[in-house]
């Protein structure tokens, strides 16, 4: 269907080598996009590229550390050099350090903010000239339930994910005139490397999430293929500045 067709489009997915990022990359691949899988771990990048190639997609691995501005610029340059253009950016790379607020060092605060929020700003600025040149583009930023809620052990993470939503709105306003749509996705609790660590640290977390989620299960990376295609395709051309929960209903569940 033309509405969801991404043939001829080129997408960069930061953190596209696993978890939610790979789930999104697979959706874009099935819709016809060529992919740049961008992460630090070369072995994971190569595995993800092989998986996307098995789906019939053109895919390349691009090494990047999103906390480094030069590395982000090089990621975009390499993508354009090898795949010819850049129409889509998914700012998905992220991390967390779980502590009470009074226990963080300033270095830890900065590390989480730089990985989750500043990186999305830097990568968006790096792709902007390419999207302008192409006559438009799609940027998808990954927030969290911590874009909405707070929790004891997530101060810098929640600050970064709240910031993602406001940055999304501001860039959406600024770049609408360039036909660039900027939206955010707020995942619920998804089974990935990131949350496997939290599940190991927090007794009962698995059951608590299942009980609170109307869908009655944890999400899986493949749950993000559809929203990625929608937000990166002509189907969403009049949708910008939004933050869409993909959470099995977690964020709308009342107490009774
Ligand atoms: P993963 O740990 O599976 O993925 C994180 C990805 O980010 C990896 O591919 C990692 O690749 C990449 N990454 C981390 N730091 C950097 C860096 N400095 N430079 C480049 N890449 C980096 O976790 P998820 O799939 O769960 O997380 C993806 C996103 O979804 C994150 O933004 C996370 O905050 C968000 N999210 C996840 C939720 C969940 O329940 N899982 C819930 C809400 C939000 P590499 O190590 O190779 O660099």
């Amino acid at each position: 269907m033309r509405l969801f067709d991404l043939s001829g489009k080129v997408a960069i997915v930061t953190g596209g080598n696993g978890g939610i990022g790979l789930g999104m990359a697979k959706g874009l691949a099935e819709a016809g996009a060529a992919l740049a899988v961008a992460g630090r771990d070369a072995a994971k990048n190569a595995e993800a590229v092989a998986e996307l190639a098995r789906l019939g997609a053109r895919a390349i691995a691009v090494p990047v550390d999103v906390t480094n501005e030069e590395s982000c610029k090089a990621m975009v340059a390499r993508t354009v050099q090898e795949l010819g253009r850049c129409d889509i950016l998914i700012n998905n790379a992220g991390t967390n350090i779980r502590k009470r607020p009074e226990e963080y060092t300033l270095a830890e605060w900065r590390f989480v903010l730089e990985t989750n929020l500043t990186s999305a700003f830097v990568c968006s600025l790096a792709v902007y000239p390419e999207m302008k040149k192409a006559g438009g583009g799609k940027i998808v930023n990954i927030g969290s339930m911590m874009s909405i809620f707070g929790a004891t052990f997530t101060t810098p993470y929640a600050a970064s994910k709240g910031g993602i939503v406001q940055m999304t709105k501001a860039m959406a306003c600024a770049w609408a005139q360039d036909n660039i749509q900027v939206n955010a996705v707020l995942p619920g609790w998804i089974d990935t490397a990131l949350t496997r660590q939290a599940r190991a640290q927090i007794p009962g977390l698995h059951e608590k999430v299942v009980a609170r989620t109307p869908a009655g299960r944890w999400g899986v990376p493949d749950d993000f293929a559809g929203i990625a295609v929608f937000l990166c395709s002509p189907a969403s051309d009049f949708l910008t500045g939004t933050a869409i929960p993909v959470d099995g209903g977690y964020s709308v569940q009342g107490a009774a």
Side-chain angles (χ1 to χ4, degrees):
M1 195 192 296
R2 199 201 66 82
L3 267 181
F4 299 104
D5 184 18
L6 297 179
S7 310
K9 303 291 185 190
V10 171
I12 297 175
V13 184
T14 70
N17 62 20
I20 291 171
L22 183 55
M24 289 188 142
K26 283 162 67 183
L28 300 182
E30 285 190 22
L35 271 301
V37 172
R40 293 166 302 182
D41 184 323
K44 272 166 57 189
N45 287 350
E47 265 174 50
V49 163
E51 193 167 344
L52 294 167
R54 282 195 291 276
L55 295 175
R58 184 157 179 225
I60 60 167
V62 181
V64 70
D65 178 350
V66 295
T67 63
N68 178 311
E69 185 182 10
E70 290 313 311
S71 180
C72 295
K73 287 181 179 167
M75 167 187 78
V76 174
R78 171 101 178 264
T79 301
V80 173
Q81 191 189 355
E82 290 198 30
L83 299 177
R85 52 193 289 142
C86 182
D87 310 277
I88 294 163
L89 169 67
I90 301 195
N91 285 312
N92 162 80
T95 195
N96 194 11
I97 300 174
R98 294 180 47 80
K99 289 183 175 181
R100 295 185 56 81
E102 66 273 22
E103 291 168 352
Y104 287 102
T105 64
L106 184 56
E108 287 170 333
W109 164 273
R110 286 189 172 136
F111 174 71
V112 175
L113 268 288
E114 278 173 20
T115 306
N116 294 359
L117 178 59
T118 308
S119 67
F121 172 72
V122 169
C123 291
S124 299
L125 261 58
V127 295
Y128 176 66
E130 294 303 325
M131 290 185 175
K132 252 191 111 161
K133 212 187 297 169
K138 305 279 190 179
I139 297 177
V140 179
N141 297 317
I142 306 304
S144 160
M145 289 297 102
M146 288 301 123
S147 302
I148 307 171
F149 303 114
T152 300
F153 295 97
T154 60
T155 299
Y157 187 83
S160 70
K161 295 300 189 177
I164 279 283
V165 170
Q166 293 305 109
M167 188 188 74
T168 297
K169 293 176 190 171
M171 281 186 179
C173 292
W175 291 348
Q177 66 185 30
D178 301 309
N179 189 31
I180 298 169
Q181 288 80 47
V182 189
N183 290 287
V185 169
L186 314 183
W189 284 92
I190 317 303
D191 183 14
T192 68
L194 195 69
T195 47
R196 255 163 251 151
Q197 184 193 332
R199 273 198 269 194
Q201 288 171 349
I202 311 166
L205 177 65
H206 178 83
E207 293 73 20
K208 271 190 216 160
V209 168
V210 171
R212 157 112 194 225
T213 305
R217 65 171 175 89
W218 281 61
V220 294
D222 284 351
D223 287 321
F224 291 82
I227 190 75
V229 173
F230 174 59
L231 289 179
C232 297
S233 68
S236 60
D237 278 353
F238 198 54
L239 188 86
T240 199
T242 65
I244 302 177
V246 178
D247 65 352
Y250 183 94
S251 59
V252 296
Q253 174 81 290

